[in-house]
Amino acid sequence: MFEVVGRAVNQVLSGGGGCVDVTLTLDGCVRVADDGPGVPFDATGDADRPDLEALLTRMPAGPQPAGWCIGAISYFSAGLFVVNALSSRLTAEAQGAGAGRVVREYARGVPVAPPTAVGLATGSGTTIAFWPDTEIFTTTRCSFAVLAERFRQVAFLNRGLEISLTDERPVAGPRAVSFRFPDGVRDFVAALNAETGPFLHPDVIGFERQDPRIAGTMEVALLWSDAHEERLRSFANSRATSQGGTHVDGFRDGVATAVIGYAREQGLLAAADPDPRADQISEGLTAVVSVRLDQPEFLGSTREQLGNTDVRDCVEEAVREHLGNWLKEHPEQAAEIVNRILGVAA
């Protein structure tokens, strides 16, 4: 599922934003449609831009496409070839300007018939419909709740993307959800904070910055609430980094430097007073740290920790500057935040 959805999401993102529609049908089919630029069936001979037939029938050779617009939606990056081989049946439809609509069907990875023209194109995009092979998998039933939560997360992390999930299987009738978040990780933080209770200030602090030193971008949002726990979510190219990494280290460094610097400048923290500890600063903090890198480097076999060394300093600098400016521009809210932190430290 995530392999096919990941390809569709990246097609849409490469075109500047659009829609991905996922449908779970009564007969066990998963249908994923996008309105991206589309990938034709005919071979082009370009190894960097393989046609749809190559994607479906050949294992990718060499490194996968890079670029900070590439979202790692799947956890394995096996490609459409593996999806096709593990499906008892798969149909692929491609359409684009001047090319019409072309469909091809496969059985366990093998083409059943040549590509067939089925009409005029109504736009651009690709539709992949597949039936997971019941002779291979113990269960082929997808969880609506699990998919909905992951797709919601993907929509938060990719502004401009709309992703919908429709489940036609329930006896009581179809159910559907659709996600699109114009403010990206700011909306993510607001949603997380709504689960924790009252907040200290109504505005989510957030920024996005492109930095050539890391060949990528960073998007950060944060908010302090009256809750006691910290809620920090981190991502690299849309992949959750549950074990943190250099982007999280840089974020924590930047927040601490900005808060302590502001407190001392305003006399809220005396020269003789010790700096608040990191856990005191992070109490009640809700934040999302998302980076997009041309070449992300993950540590460990589970790839849940980011290791790019340059990222720490770049994120620290950006957070320190942006949060420091925000605190100066919002003195009443800043004083409330700092006084709460100092109250915790007392």
Side-chain angles (χ1 to χ4, degrees):
M1 166 71 79
F2 291 142
E3 292 292 338
V4 180
V5 172
R7 188 215 66 85
V9 166
N10 285 319
Q11 279 289 300
V12 166
L13 294 178
S14 69
C19 302
V20 175
D21 299 311
V22 182
T23 304
L24 310 176
T25 69
L26 281 170
D27 64 350
C29 170
V30 177
R31 185 170 64 249
V32 180
D34 69 73
D35 61 356
V39 181
F41 274 102
D42 55 302
T44 62
D46 187 348
D48 294 327
R49 297 175 60 87
D51 58 79
L52 191 55
E53 177 71 10
L55 292 173
L56 288 164
T57 58
R58 293 199 291 272
M59 180 68 80
Q64 296 299 301
W68 56 262
C69 67
I70 300 296
I73 311 304
S74 170
Y75 297 97
F76 304 104
S77 300
L80 293 184
F81 167 78
V82 173
V83 177
N84 198 7
L86 299 181
S87 299
S88 58
R89 179 187 171 201
L90 181 147
T91 62
E93 176 183 314
Q95 63 172 334
R101 294 170 54 212
V102 180
V103 175
R104 191 166 201 184
E105 184 174 347
Y106 304 81
R108 294 184 170 89
V110 179
V112 174
T116 303
V118 294
L120 298 176
T122 57
S124 64
T126 309
T127 300
I128 304 289
F130 64 96
W131 289 255
D133 197 334
T134 57
E135 295 184 10
I136 296 175
F137 297 103
T138 303
T139 177
T140 59
R141 186 171 180 84
C142 296
S143 167
F144 181 86
V146 170
L147 293 176
E149 178 58 28
R150 177 58 173 146
F151 295 163
R152 176 174 178 261
Q153 188 181 82
V154 170
F156 274 130
L157 297 170
N158 296 279
R159 282 185 296 173
L161 169 69
E162 181 177 348
I163 183 166
S164 67
L165 174 64
T166 302
D167 189 354
E168 299 177 346
R169 303 169 301 174
V171 176
R175 52 183 173 175
V177 290
S178 181
F179 304 109
R180 183 177 181 276
F181 301 103
D183 289 329
V185 299
R186 290 174 184 259
D187 287 331
F188 202 166
V189 164
L192 289 172
N193 196 68
E195 302 170 4
T196 65
F199 42 75
L200 294 179
H201 55 91
D203 299 324
V204 176
I205 307 166
F207 70 91
E208 183 174 7
R209 177 183 290 188
Q210 186 171 352
D211 194 324
R213 293 174 295 175
I214 58 174
T217 67
M218 64 192 82
E219 191 173 2
V220 175
L222 64 150
L223 186 73
W224 274 274
S225 74
D226 285 333
H228 293 292
E229 72 277 6
E230 176 194 53
R231 303 195 70 181
L232 173 60
R233 302 288 185 270
S234 64
F235 303 87
N237 291 38
S238 297
R239 182 194 298 274
T241 48
S242 60
Q243 297 180 20
T246 52
H247 55 330
V248 174
D249 295 337
F251 170 77
R252 294 191 190 281
D253 292 344
V255 170
T257 302
V259 168
I260 294 171
Y262 179 81
R264 294 201 181 278
E265 286 177 8
Q266 301 301 314
L268 301 172
L269 193 63
D273 294 334
D275 291 341
R277 299 192 311 272
D279 62 310
Q280 295 163 345
I281 294 175
S282 65
E283 181 171 318
L285 178 65
T286 301
V288 173
V289 182
S290 176
V291 295
R292 296 172 176 274
L293 309 171
D294 275 357
Q295 297 294 336
E297 299 171 4
F298 295 100
L299 305 178
S301 59
T302 57
R303 298 167 63 84
E304 295 176 346
Q305 184 178 9
L306 187 68
N308 299 66
T309 55
D310 293 341
V311 168
R312 180 170 185 163
D313 289 342
C314 292
V315 173
E316 185 277 333
E317 176 186 292
V319 172
R320 169 170 44 85
E321 292 178 0
H322 190 93
L323 179 57
N325 290 335
W326 186 92
L327 292 171
K328 293 175 182 177
E329 294 167 0
H330 301 80
E332 292 184 6
Q333 297 170 0
E336 188 175 4
I337 292 170
V338 173
N339 286 331
R340 183 185 187 280
I341 291 171
L342 299 180
V344 171

